[in-house]
Amino acid sequence: MSTRSKSPPTTAADTPRRAADRIRDTAFDLFYREGIRAIGVEEIVNRAGVTKPSLYRAYESKDELIADYLRDYDERFCRSFEAPAAEHPGDPKGQLLAYLDRLAARASAEGYRGCGLTNAVIEYPDPAHPAHQVAVDSKHALRKRLGEMCRSMGARDADELADSLLLLIEGSYVSGQAFGEGGPARALGVAARKLIDAAL
Amino acid sequence: MSTRSKSPPTTAADTPRRAADRIRDTAFDLFYREGIRAIGVEEIVNRAGVTKPSLYRAYESKDELIADYLRDYDERFCRSFEAPAAEHPGDPKGQLLAYLDRLAARASAEGYRGCGLTNAVIEYPDPAHPAHQVAVDSKHALRKRLGEMCRSMGARDADELADSLLLLIEGSYVSGQAFGEGGPARALGVAARKLIDAAL
DNA sequence: CAGAGTACGTACCGATCGGTAACATTGTCA
DNA sequence: TGACAATGTTACCGATCGGTACGTACTCTG
């Protein structure tokens, strides 16, 4: 992460930190929870307890900050997606289901805000916008990764199974936001298992 | 512009029309294609060839216009969702699959922009915002309707099947935007058929 | 201690946002 | 003809948008 500290001899690990770090963390939180277009740079710096020039010293534009937020989101997503690998070594089906089950729980709980990358694609439909590009790249990587997992679990039409699962996953992201607690994402686990088992 | 005077209830169904109607049509198009937050009232009236006061004579605020757009969208959606009923009378499964197949085709084509209601939920995560409310109400209605259809086709756990299908549908909406042509929505039809058949 | 460099804040910019007031113009119908 | 409703015209409002010129405080080094 960003603990390249060479100078903070103090125990700065709680609140103070560098301005750029506070901006990044605050932007991450606000962009994710409230939406990117809904949040102005002014609000970010206010909540971060810094000032605008500090933001523009670290990022050359708001779009750059947005792109950085999305790259950060993608990184965290990848970690959380691959995390179950350790618990289920050599068991791609188990790994995938572990992620899916945790997703189902989060997505059918109150206050869920879906996937920041998916949301970004919708907020920025213009393919030329950096936010759109970063988010779409991430989605392509996910699709590919899903295909590999399905292939390595010996599915008949691995790509088709992967796409079906991707639809269920993306569906969970967005319907979690529309339905809140007890939303349709509760069906994610069983549906995925049915599709996987039918393809093995 | 060029059309000489003759605005009464003549055959004018092309361009002139009432200002309020042009505003509504233009807003529909722009909100859907570009996103709601991305479009200002100025751009709407410019493209509609009218002026701002005309907009504010027809709608008391931009939020009102947004809500009206979403109600309009919901109306059209319901029509397109129920349309297959005529072609498949007394066959809920056939009706549902007919809608799904058409959705799969649209959602895996270039330039698809998903569901305006789903997009609105993401653009306006605040449950107090009218846009959020209209969109969420529509989604609840869809979930209910899906449940009825699954029940009337004799599914074992109709609500669970309905939720699974809803995940696939919403997944198609959003991933259509991220992947464009040849996206995962092409798997919608087969996945839905597998889940339905497994539940009958 | 001097000076350099880093890190940050104060105050401001022009543009655009959603929204409005006041008035002129038009076409329709009686 | 004359009244009315609908629309356009122009100019404006305060707030907020993304972005910046410039001054200041700290700290590290010599």
Side-chain angles (χ1 to χ4, degrees):
Chain A
M1 294 281 270
S2 58
T3 40
R4 70 174 79 269
S5 59
K6 52 160 193 249
S7 51
T10 66
T11 62
D14 38 298
T15 332
R17 298 168 4 244
R18 308 269 305 273
D21 293 336
R22 308 194 45 168
I23 289 168
R24 199 161 70 132
D25 292 353
T26 307
F28 190 104
D29 190 52
L30 290 176
F31 281 160
Y32 178 65
R33 282 184 14 235
E34 315 264 352
I36 302 174
R37 295 197 111 115
I39 297 296
V41 293
E42 190 105 31
E43 186 161 0
I44 294 172
V45 297
N46 284 347
R47 293 237 211 173
V50 300
T51 57
K52 254 197 274 193
S54 287
L55 193 157
Y56 285 97
R57 267 175 229 121
Y59 302 92
E60 64 171 31
S61 67
K62 188 196 177 185
D63 282 356
E64 255 298 308
L65 174 59
I66 295 170
D68 195 66
Y69 150 62
L70 292 173
R71 280 187 288 263
D72 192 5
Y73 193 100
D74 176 57
E75 216 172 279
R76 302 193 201 187
F77 168 77
C78 287
R79 272 202 298 274
S80 96
F81 188 79
E82 303 292 351
E87 308 159 20
H88 304 267
D91 175 17
K93 178 180 167 183
Q95 292 169 18
L96 192 47
L97 289 176
Y99 171 76
L100 261 32
D101 287 339
R102 278 185 310 175
L103 170 59
R106 274 184 301 136
S108 52
E110 196 60 47
Y112 180 64
R113 251 293 280 181
C115 169
L117 299 154
T118 300
N119 297 350
V121 172
I122 289 168
E123 283 202 89
Y124 293 90
D126 179 6
H129 195 285
H132 188 94
Q133 291 173 352
V134 173
V136 162
D137 286 353
S138 169
K139 291 303 175 187
H140 277 104
L142 172 60
R143 191 189 196 187
K144 188 178 162 207
R145 184 80 189 88
L146 234 29
E148 290 168 1
M149 294 175 83
C150 290
R151 215 163 291 119
S152 80
M153 70 174 84
R156 249 190 310 278
D157 193 336
D159 286 331
E160 185 180 281
L161 175 61
D163 280 350
S164 305
L165 296 174
L166 187 50
L167 292 183
L168 289 174
I169 291 171
E170 293 291 341
S172 299
Y173 290 154
V174 299
S175 60
Q177 300 180 65
F179 291 93
E181 193 160 356
R186 63 182 182 182
L188 172 60
V190 286
R193 282 174 173 82
K194 279 180 186 167
L195 291 176
I196 291 173
D197 292 343
L200 294 186
Chain B
M1 318 291 182
S2 54
T3 43
R4 270 223 56 96
S5 59
K6 64 134 179 266
S7 46
T10 64
T11 63
D14 39 296
T15 332
R17 291 156 22 233
R18 309 263 308 270
D21 294 336
R22 308 195 46 169
I23 290 167
R24 197 161 72 131
D25 293 354
T26 306
F28 191 103
D29 190 52
L30 290 177
F31 281 161
Y32 178 65
R33 283 186 10 238
E34 315 264 353
I36 302 174
R37 295 196 110 116
I39 296 296
V41 293
E42 191 106 29
E43 186 162 359
I44 293 173
V45 298
N46 285 346
R47 294 238 211 173
V50 301
T51 56
K52 250 198 276 193
S54 285
L55 192 157
Y56 285 97
R57 275 175 214 124
Y59 302 92
E60 63 172 30
S61 67
K62 187 195 179 185
D63 281 356
E64 256 296 309
L65 174 59
I66 295 170
D68 195 66
Y69 151 61
L70 292 172
R71 280 187 288 263
D72 192 4
Y73 193 101
D74 176 58
E75 216 172 279
R76 303 193 201 186
F77 168 77
C78 287
R79 272 202 299 274
S80 96
F81 187 79
E82 303 292 352
E87 308 159 19
H88 303 267
D91 174 17
K93 179 180 166 185
Q95 292 169 18
L96 191 48
L97 290 176
Y99 172 76
L100 260 34
D101 287 338
R102 277 185 311 175
L103 169 59
R106 272 184 302 136
S108 52
E110 197 58 48
Y112 181 62
R113 251 294 281 180
C115 170
L117 298 154
T118 300
N119 297 350
V121 172
I122 289 168
E123 283 203 88
Y124 293 90
D126 178 6
H129 195 284
H132 189 95
Q133 292 173 351
V134 173
V136 162
D137 285 353
S138 169
K139 291 302 175 187
H140 277 104
L142 171 60
R143 190 188 196 188
K144 190 178 161 208
R145 184 78 189 90
L146 235 28
E148 290 168 2
M149 292 176 84
C150 291
R151 215 163 291 118
S152 80
M153 68 174 85
R156 251 190 309 278
D157 192 336
D159 286 330
E160 186 180 281
L161 175 62
D163 280 350
S164 306
L165 296 174
L166 187 50
L167 292 183
L168 289 175
I169 291 170
E170 294 291 340
S172 299
Y173 290 153
V174 299
S175 60
Q177 299 180 66
F179 291 94
E181 192 161 357
R186 62 182 182 181
L188 172 60
V190 286
R193 281 174 174 83
K194 279 180 185 166
L195 291 176
I196 292 173
D197 292 343
L200 294 186

